[in-house]
Amino acid sequence: MRLTIPSDLSALLHAGLWRVIGSLGIKVATAGLTYLTYVVLSRTMTVPEYGHFAFGLALATVLAIAAGVGQPTAILRLWSQETVAGNRAAATAAVQAGSMLTILSGLTIALVMCLVVFLWVLLLPLEDTANHFYGAAFLILPMALAEYNSSALRAQGSLWTALVPRDILWRIALPAVVLGLFSVGIVLSGPDALVLSAALLSGMLALQFWGAITRRYVLSPVVGVVGPYWQRWGGLSRWFLLGTLIETVALNADVVLVGLMLNLESSGLYFNAFRTAGLMTLFTFAIELVIAPMIAQHFHAGEMRKAQAIAAMASFAGFAFSLLVFVAFFGWGEWILSLFGPAYAEGWLVLVLLALGLLFDAATGPSKIVMMMTGHERAYAMIFGGIMGAGLIVQILIIPTYGVIGAAAANMGARILAQLSIALWCRLRIGLDTSVLGVFAVRGTQDRLPQ
């Protein structure tokens, strides 16, 4: 059966597709460079030290999302919502306040974590070093600000300025410097690698800020707008924070749990398997970077057919890509993991289990983005967070017995149930079918009055 695209949607999808191709190109390069970074680090570091790095990076990633206070997601929606309503000044203030909130929160969380670790070691000395906790603290603010800047610039229509400094240049610089140091006999520890990552990312943020200012994008933090902004949008931001934090915890807490409940060597193995499985959602993530402000714009303008068409394109393309990658992992996963070193090849089953869960993620399409951009962030936090939280509890119970296989199986089951649940919510409550079947819903979707 051949599906024809209505003429009024053809131009929209064509323009969106070209931006998606640009985003995909950047994300493919990002994935390759990220993978290269992990391979270089795992090959130049001892297995325990690589475990320290993996643990610290996962911890910093979760805390960086907390430091964002929901602002990366908030600005994607608020910029479109305010500009559609003709409130350019309010949109500008939202960007400035979000940047300031991210900086203040990032500094606070990093300092608090250092203080907590210092007191913990003072009262209950660890058998292992605590330096990887301090190394993670250095990364919190740069990672949080990089995520916010990317969202703020994408909301304003930028793609290259938003993504290239962090996703390309940083990921070229890090393995290059590590290899350069290794060539002269300097072998980095896990904490060293975390601090180096933070320093290089900070440099890329300075480069991004300069590029944004020269192109007249709004990015500068302003203190004076924070109070009015938080009074108006603070409640919304808290729900965005919870929703984004839940997703980040679902992607990183496993590594931390495995490191705490088993050992850091197992944490490194699980980290490599999860990061490899994450390549499956590369196309889906690249698409979501582009469509988030588009979904917000068309939904709030009442253009439901356009919003459905965008969601359908995203889910169909993302699932097709993910299915091909899953087949590759199933057949050659052991060889792929061996690139990190012979010790990591035994993570094949962990990789397959995690990849199966992410395959359902792709099949249900941009359900998270749709819920966040259309005012259903509370439902997302409760549904997705409740199910994934239950999955974490299951992991805590079974990791001591079943190890990394149990952690992967619990993650897979929770993710499948959570993704199906939020996709069903989108279909029944929002009126948008985000799944791979959404292409059949485009013709029957009706526009409505603007919100």
Side-chain angles (χ1 to χ4, degrees):
M1 173 177 159
R2 184 174 179 268
L3 293 173
T4 58
I5 301 176
S7 58
D8 64 324
L9 299 179
S10 179
L12 172 71
L13 295 180
H14 185 268
L17 182 61
W18 278 111
R19 293 200 72 208
V20 165
I21 290 173
S23 177
L24 178 63
I26 294 173
K27 284 303 171 184
V28 167
T30 300
L33 291 170
T34 301
Y35 215 71
L36 174 64
T37 299
Y38 297 150
V39 169
V40 167
L41 287 169
S42 65
R43 290 285 188 173
T44 58
M45 299 165 65
T46 64
V47 172
E49 287 302 330
Y50 184 72
H52 283 108
F53 169 78
F55 180 94
L57 181 62
L59 180 61
T61 301
V62 174
L63 294 178
I65 293 300
V69 204
Q71 298 312 299
T73 307
I75 197 58
L76 287 171
R77 173 170 151 187
L78 294 179
W79 180 272
S80 297
Q81 184 174 322
E82 297 288 12
T83 52
V84 164
N87 299 326
R88 174 78 184 195
T92 299
V95 175
Q96 296 169 335
S99 180
M100 195 72 240
L101 282 167
T102 302
I103 293 172
L104 294 175
S105 180
L107 288 172
T108 301
I109 290 177
L111 291 173
V112 168
M113 189 182 85
C114 289
L115 179 60
V116 169
V117 172
F118 176 78
L119 293 176
W120 182 276
V121 173
L122 191 65
L123 297 174
L124 298 170
L126 301 176
E127 294 182 4
D128 195 8
T129 178
N131 287 340
H132 51 296
F133 288 99
Y134 296 121
F138 279 94
L139 255 178
I140 293 172
L141 177 57
M143 292 184 75
L145 199 55
E147 185 67 22
Y148 177 76
N149 288 355
S150 174
S151 293
L153 291 169
R154 285 187 288 117
Q156 297 172 65
S158 167
L159 187 64
W160 296 97
T161 306
L163 300 181
V164 169
R166 177 188 64 173
D167 290 0
I168 302 298
L169 299 182
W170 179 47
R171 287 174 167 85
I172 290 176
L174 182 55
V177 173
V178 170
L179 285 175
L181 292 172
F182 186 75
S183 67
V184 296
I186 300 175
V187 179
L188 296 179
S189 67
D192 292 338
L194 292 168
V195 174
L196 176 62
S197 299
L200 293 174
L201 181 55
S202 297
M204 298 309 160
L205 287 174
L207 179 64
Q208 182 185 54
F209 185 81
W210 174 80
I213 296 303
T214 57
R215 292 171 176 82
R216 299 186 182 278
Y217 292 118
V218 181
L219 201 59
S220 302
V222 175
V223 177
V225 299
V226 172
Y229 170 83
W230 191 256
Q231 186 176 8
R232 183 182 181 190
W233 299 114
L236 181 70
S237 296
R238 283 190 287 268
W239 282 107
F240 280 142
L241 168 61
L242 182 59
T244 309
L245 189 59
I246 288 167
E247 175 64 19
T248 305
V249 167
L251 293 173
N252 293 277
D254 305 28
V255 178
V256 177
L257 284 178
V258 168
L260 291 174
M261 302 183 72
L262 296 177
N263 51 65
L264 290 174
E265 289 82 356
S266 297
S267 182
L269 184 148
Y270 195 92
F271 176 85
N272 286 340
F274 212 152
R275 289 301 184 270
T276 302
L279 296 176
M280 284 183 53
T281 59
L282 182 63
F283 202 178
T284 298
F285 184 58
I287 293 171
E288 289 180 351
L289 290 177
V290 173
I291 70 167
M294 297 173 69
I295 290 287
Q297 176 185 345
H298 293 302
F299 177 83
H300 290 288
E303 299 166 343
M304 296 295 286
R305 289 181 71 246
K306 291 183 177 180
Q308 178 61 63
I310 293 168
M313 176 192 71
S315 57
F316 189 83
F319 178 71
F321 178 88
S322 296
L323 184 60
L324 290 175
V325 178
F326 177 79
V327 171
F329 286 163
F330 191 85
W332 297 282
E334 187 173 339
W335 175 81
I336 294 172
L337 290 174
S338 70
L339 294 175
F340 294 99
Y344 300 103
E346 62 188 61
W348 175 84
L349 183 55
V350 175
L351 171 63
V352 171
L353 291 173
L354 294 171
L356 186 57
L358 291 172
L359 185 62
F360 275 81
D361 195 328
T364 52
S367 48
K368 172 197 170 184
I369 289 297
V370 168
M371 294 184 75
M372 290 289 196
M373 296 297 105
T374 59
H376 294 79
E377 58 280 343
R378 295 189 181 190
Y380 171 80
M382 289 187 288
I383 297 171
F384 192 86
I387 296 173
M388 295 306 294
L392 286 176
I393 294 174
V394 172
Q395 286 181 319
I396 292 172
L397 295 175
I398 68 176
I399 284 176
T401 303
Y402 297 100
V404 292
I405 301 299
N411 180 284
M412 176 194 70
R415 182 165 291 276
I416 290 173
L417 182 57
Q419 288 296 148
L420 291 175
S421 298
I422 61 175
L424 186 61
W425 178 278
C426 289
R427 183 71 182 91
L428 297 178
R429 295 298 185 92
I430 304 175
L432 296 175
D433 189 341
T434 63
S435 73
V436 290
L437 302 177
V439 65
F440 299 107
V442 175
R443 288 188 179 277
T445 303
Q446 300 295 320
D447 291 340
R448 51 159 176 74
L449 294 175
Q451 289 197 342

